[in-house]
Amino acid sequence: MSKNSTNFIFTSESVSEGHPDKICDQISDLVVDLYMKADKNSRVACETLATTNRVILSGEVKINQNHQEVNNEVIEQKIREKIKDIGYEQDGFHWENIEIENYLHNQSQDISQGVDSSEVLGAGDQGIMFGYACSETDYLMPAPIHYSHKILQNLSNYRKNNDSFFGPDSKSQVSMQYEDNKPKNVTSIVVSTQHFEDAKNEQIRKKVIQIIEESIPVEILPKSENILINPTGRFVIGGPDGDTGLTGRKIIVDTYGGSAPHGGGAFSGKDYTKVDRSAAYIARYIAKNVVATKLAKKCLLQLSYAIGVAKPISIYLKTDSGSDLNTNKIINIIKNHVDLSPNGIKTHLKLDQPIYEATSSYGHFGREYIPKTGSFSWEKTDLAEKILNEY
């Protein structure tokens, strides 16, 4: 290992809820929530495509109770409400004028048999899932992705609460200088934001700089020339009218901004039996609780599953080199307190609730647990004390 290997620059990006891919993630999770609200044992795998004044749904669903509550008319109404809430009233993509095509159909009996036939719920697919946490921020998330999200969340709040010249579509990128593996300062920021045609570049830059200063401590901000706002000079046509959107194309934005591995599976549009989603949630929960003990500054957890099989095939846990933890002992403690089968994960995190739409923009991790709705239950740190007591 070279002498300077702990000093580096790392970059992460985020996208707003008006980004074409994020529109699709939100619609897919909106569908999951509709089915979960009607029947907590629903099965959903929904993919969405959005383009100029058109939204297309496809995928598989299964519902046993209250099936009349989820029909094409209800789904279409909720999609229009969501697009209106995001802020799309443009000629090329308008909540009122879009054409919605719904090709959702019944789930395959082969899949249903493997997942539902046994007494213990089997995994809905094979795959590997990762969870990660680190002590770089109060949310136990990597700093670059945390600040990238925060810029766009504050930009969105400003847009929705003021008579502004911003459009819904935007992206951010934060580059962080690390020294001795610790975030030191931001070296550059890129923000591209959709705007009204008559907005001036000076106006846009002034307001975006103000939002950046509200999002990141001023003492770690880069020089003005290293803050790039709309570097192409113009961003009027945006959203699905400017670029086709698809569910599941922002999986690194959804997780850790590239600071940790990703198993490859998307989250949005999937119910809790799909371990792409539920196992990634429980892996984040475990990793966060390990770091919350302060026994480690970083924790990476990998779980692997086989379709129709309840328990994970393998569990891998790694902490930072300075922690000197007995990872096998930590894994055994976790096994004593957390059932890692899909049914156990569902029960532990209460995933059979309509909690998913809230996750589909600004990251699935590093969020505040919301007791009222049960959203982001995987962000709780109620396991940390048990780990400390038994280690």
Side-chain angles (χ1 to χ4, degrees), residues 48-102:
T48 303
L49 179 148
T51 186
T52 304
N53 272 332
R54 188 181 297 262
V55 170
I56 300 171
L57 305 184
S58 65
E60 303 80 44
V61 296
K62 177 185 175 184
I63 184 169
N64 296 320
Q65 301 177 18
N66 304 318
H67 57 85
Q68 69 278 4
E69 293 183 12
V70 190
N71 54 47
N72 288 356
E73 185 178 340
V74 170
I75 292 173
E76 179 172 326
Q77 178 187 345
K78 292 295 184 181
I79 290 172
R80 293 188 189 279
E81 289 174 0
K82 168 52 65 176
I83 293 170
K84 182 179 181 182
D85 180 65
I86 292 170
Y88 277 106
E89 295 185 339
Q90 303 168 8
D91 291 341
F93 198 74
H94 195 295
W95 63 271
E96 206 168 23
N97 302 329
I98 56 169
E99 183 177 342
I100 299 172
E101 300 177 41
N102 187 345

Side-chain angles (χ1 to χ4, degrees), residues 49-272:
L49 179 148
T51 186
T52 304
N53 272 332
R54 188 181 297 262
V55 170
I56 300 171
L57 305 184
S58 65
E60 303 80 44
V61 296
K62 177 185 175 184
I63 184 169
N64 296 320
Q65 301 177 18
N66 304 318
H67 57 85
Q68 69 278 4
E69 293 183 12
V70 190
N71 54 47
N72 288 356
E73 185 178 340
V74 170
I75 292 173
E76 179 172 326
Q77 178 187 345
K78 292 295 184 181
I79 290 172
R80 293 188 189 279
E81 289 174 0
K82 168 52 65 176
I83 293 170
K84 182 179 181 182
D85 180 65
I86 292 170
Y88 277 106
E89 295 185 339
Q90 303 168 8
D91 291 341
F93 198 74
H94 195 295
W95 63 271
E96 206 168 23
N97 302 329
I98 56 169
E99 183 177 342
I100 299 172
E101 300 177 41
N102 187 345
Y103 298 106
L104 293 170
H105 59 82
N106 290 334
Q107 184 186 59
S108 159
Q109 289 298 315
D110 291 343
I111 295 175
S112 178
Q113 176 179 303
V115 176
D116 294 331
S117 61
S118 61
E119 291 183 11
V120 179
L121 192 68
D125 201 353
Q126 71 174 53
I128 57 174
M129 298 84 206
F130 290 93
Y132 181 71
C134 63
S135 58
E136 293 179 14
T137 65
D138 291 341
Y139 293 87
L140 304 187
M141 286 288 286
I145 188 67
H146 171 73
Y147 289 129
S148 295
H149 286 323
K150 197 168 181 182
I151 290 169
L152 295 188
Q153 285 175 303
N154 287 341
L155 178 59
S156 176
N157 289 338
Y158 176 81
R159 173 176 63 85
K160 290 183 175 183
N161 294 321
N162 295 275
D163 182 17
S164 81
F165 42 73
F166 291 120
D169 193 358
S170 58
K171 299 178 75 172
S172 65
Q173 186 171 285
V174 173
S175 298
M176 179 75 66
Q177 172 75 50
Y178 284 74
E179 294 182 7
D180 194 24
N181 279 325
K182 298 175 183 177
K184 186 72 174 178
N185 58 273
V186 178
T187 60
S188 66
I189 298 172
V190 183
V191 176
S192 295
T193 178
Q194 188 182 11
H195 57 84
F196 292 174
E197 192 162 8
D198 58 355
K200 305 297 183 184
N201 287 345
E202 309 84 65
Q203 289 179 292
I204 297 167
R205 181 175 178 85
K206 181 179 179 181
K207 178 49 67 175
V208 173
I209 292 288
Q210 181 182 331
I211 289 167
I212 288 171
E213 290 174 346
E214 294 169 356
S215 307
I216 302 176
V218 176
E219 61 270 18
I220 67 169
L221 285 175
K223 296 178 180 179
S224 178
E225 59 264 31
N226 292 326
I227 300 177
L228 307 179
I229 312 297
N230 285 1
T232 63
R234 181 178 172 85
F235 188 2
V236 175
I237 298 173
D241 189 30
D243 187 12
T244 298
L246 288 170
T247 301
R249 286 206 299 197
K250 288 292 174 282
I251 57 176
I252 301 303
V253 171
D254 285 343
T255 53
Y256 308 103
S259 292
H262 195 294
F267 301 158
S268 292
K270 299 176 181 178
D271 69 76
Y272 60 82

